[in-house]
Structure formats: C-alpha cells, structure tokens
Amino acid sequence: MASYLSTLSPIAPVRRIRYIIFLKDVLILACTTFGGPQIHLAMMLDRFVAKRRYLTEAELMELNALCQILPGPTSTQTVTALGFKIGGPNLAYLTLIVWAFPGVMIMTLVAIGIYYVQQNSISLNFTRFIQPMAVGFLIVAGYRIAKKVILNQMGMVLAIISALTAYAFPSPYITPVVLVAGGFATAFAYKKHEKMEKAPFNIQWANFFLWIGVLLAAATLGAITKSLPLRLFENFYRNGSLVFGGGQVLTPMLYNEFVEFKHYLSRQEFLSGLAIVQVTPGPVFSFASYIGVLSMRDAGLSGQLLGGFAATAGIFLPGTFLIFFVYRFWNQLKRYRAVRASLEGINAASTGLTASAAISLFQPMAENGLSVIVVVVTILLLEYTKIPPYLLIVTGLFAGFLV
C-alpha cells in the first residue's frame, strides 16, 4: 500500500501519512459496518466527521445526497468520492478497493462453500429459515429508510405509486423511469428552497465517455465471443448503470435476470446469499460476487473466481465512473433549487422500489405458514430488540440443521 501511495504524485510525507490513516479508517468501516446505506452513513458521520474531520457534516450529507441520485451503490460512491476529495483519483480507486474487499471476499467464499456443499450431495435445506429472514431484513430496511425520507403526503403518494408501478412492470428499465418521475414531481416545489448564487459550469466529460465506452465495448465483445465471464461483466455493468437506490433496489433486478430469466441460480441459492449479505460488512453490492461465482460453478475453482471478479468489477465500476464525472461540477449543480428539491421525490420513489422488491420476494413464500412466521418474527426482533443481525442469521442456520 505504501509503495502504491508513493505514486500518487509528489506529496509531502505528512500528506502521505494522512492518506494511509484515511485508508485505515475506510478498512475499519469496511469490516464493521453492517446494515446497508443508512447504517453506513451514521458510522461515516462518526468516524469521518466527528473523529477525523475530513469534512463537515453538511458536506458529507450533501455528498451522500448526490450519490443517491446517481446509479450505483450509494455508500461506495460516497466513500470513494471522499477519497477523491482528499487525494484525487488514484486515492479514490484505492479507497474503492479497500472498502469493497472484505465483503467481496466473504461473499466469494460463501458461494464457493455452497457449491462445495451441493457437490457433496448435501441439501441446502438447512438454509430454509434464513431465506424468509432475508425478506424480513429487506422489509425493515425499507421501513427505516421510509421514516427518514418520506416527510409529507406527497412523499407517501410517490412511494406508493412507485411500488405499484415497479410491481406491475418488473423490468430493470422501469427503475430509472420511476426515480426520474419522482424527482420531477418534487422539483416543481423548488421555491421553498433557499436561492444560491449560480456559478458557470466546468464539465469534464472524460469519465462520462469512459462509462459509456466500457458499456458498449462489453456488450459488443460479449455478443461476439459468447464468453460467459464477459457476459457476466456486461450484465452486472448494465445493472450497476441502471440501479438507483442501493442494494435493496438491486435485489429484484438481479433476481429477475439471474434466477427467473437466465436460471444461473436457483431461488433457494439466491435467497440464501441474500440473507448472508445482509450480515456481511461493507457494501450490499458484494452480493454480485456471490452470483458471479455460482454462475460459473461448472468452470472449476479458477472459473468461479473469474466469475466473481467479473461480476464484482461490473457492478462497482459504473457508479465509480459516474461519481468521478459528476463530483467535479456538483458544487455548481447543487446551486439550482430544482436539483435540491428533486432529491425529496427521488428518495420517496426509491423507498417504493424497496417495498416492491420485498413484495416480489415474499409472494412465493406467502402460502407457507412457517415462512410467514419467520418473516414476521425477524421483523419484530430487528425492530424491538438489540439482537445483532449476524446473531439472527447464525440462529436461523442452526435451527435449519436441527429442525
């Protein structure tokens, strides 16, 4: 790490030490943050603002709001943009790697373990309780987000309409349409926001063209070569370019594509991985690594690792390219009241998408009374006790072995 930092351009030793301390803080969060973007944000406020003072609370909240309106993993983009703010692009890319590595490694090992279990004719029936628990986690996540972002009747209406629309049209392409519509709905209420003096735009297009170029190149090469690793990269790059609202919104998109349409995973495998990623530290998007490994289960260990790497790179790169593109002119963009006003509608619509994902995953198990009970008990335990989520998952796995 130290040798890499020495290439960040000529920097004073004190600044280099600051970069190393920052990366250490990122690694600590990557290994200890459980629960998705809302929990991530709280812990970033504690470590990055209160403890280290890398930026102010207002700056971090603005940065997080910007990342919410871009496709990709919100927490990952926030911490990567902070690395960009502190040390430029090279530190930002290194920040991305440090932040994502623990979760990606865990989910890769989990997928390899599940494949090993199946190869030895061991049933995955022991995961039957953590599958409905995963739905419970998703419902609670949506509820907690809703409490923070739905501030009035308009927000509630937008959330309901978004949920119904996404449920009625289960296509990955409906997601950006719903979010843009939500943003437009509240953008017209811009007059309640304070006026700010506007500044001229200075847009650098390189990262935007890089984002588009990689997408087109991956799609073209995948279609020509029929290579599964290339197609996996393109599939996840496309999903990472379309998903707004974080990992909870990504879930139904991945389910539709890799379970219902392509049949790379069974529903049981998908839900088992979804439950485990809820108690894995770091970004929820590390779920992509799990799917990538199992999608190439027949290619041997090296092929599985290649599948996991292709999926991981595909899911994280588009959001990174986009945050690098937009962050450079964000200070000018946020001066427009309509932009700030649109955040309210986007957040409300994102909540509706999470609700739709929960309904889609719950529906197949609604006729199983035991599964319904597990979902309800999980919700109650998460909301009314302080039992850590990882302990709930461990208990669910243990119960699966015994019952």
Side-chain angles (χ1 to χ4, degrees), residues 137-148 351 354 383-384:
F137 277 105
L138 192 60
I139 292 172
V140 170
Y143 172 69
R144 289 175 178 174
I145 294 172
K147 287 198 300 183
K148 291 180 178 293
T351 302
T354 303
E383 277 297 292
Y384 298 106

Side-chain angles (χ1 to χ4, degrees), residues 99-142:
W99 166 251
F101 182 78
V104 166
M105 180 60 64
I106 290 171
M107 293 308 298
T108 297
L109 293 175
V110 167
I112 293 172
I114 283 183
Y115 174 73
Y116 173 82
V117 165
Q118 292 174 322
Q119 285 298 103
N120 287 272
S121 301
I122 301 173
S123 171
L124 287 179
N125 198 43
F126 66 90
T127 66
R128 63 187 180 279
F129 292 126
I130 68 169
Q131 294 167 27
M133 289 173 72
V135 177
F137 277 105
L138 192 60
I139 292 172
V140 170

Side-chain angles (χ1 to χ4, degrees), residues 297-314:
R297 70 185 76 200
D298 297 329
L301 180 60
S302 60
Q304 292 167 15
L305 293 175
L306 178 60
F309 176 78
T312 302

Side-chain angles (χ1 to χ4, degrees), residues 22-79:
F22 170 70
L23 291 173
K24 185 190 74 173
D25 288 332
V26 172
L27 181 60
I28 290 172
L29 288 182
C31 294
T32 58
T33 50
F34 300 83
Q38 300 304 319
I39 304 300
H40 295 169
L41 179 60
M43 297 188 72
M44 287 179 195
L45 284 167
D46 180 61
R47 180 162 289 272
F48 292 153
V49 175
K51 186 174 182 179
R52 297 296 190 193
R53 299 182 181 178
Y54 293 123
L55 72 176
T56 66
E57 180 176 337
E59 288 173 332
L60 181 59
M61 296 304 292
E62 277 188 357
L63 192 58
N64 188 70
L66 166 62
C67 295
Q68 287 180 342
I69 65 174
L70 293 176
T74 300
S75 299
T76 300
Q77 289 172 308
T78 301
V79 74

Side-chain angles (χ1 to χ4, degrees), residues 353-369:
L353 293 174
T354 303
S356 173
I359 294 170
S360 297
L361 289 170
F362 175 75
Q363 192 172 11
M365 60 181 66
E367 296 181 0
N368 186 317

Side-chain angles (χ1 to χ4, degrees), residues 62 196 329-337 339-340:
E62 277 188 357
M196 299 177 69
F329 61 90
W330 171 239
N331 284 333
Q332 290 80 31
L333 187 62
K334 70 183 180 182
R335 294 177 180 274
Y336 289 83
R337 291 184 291 171
V339 172
R340 301 200 304 276

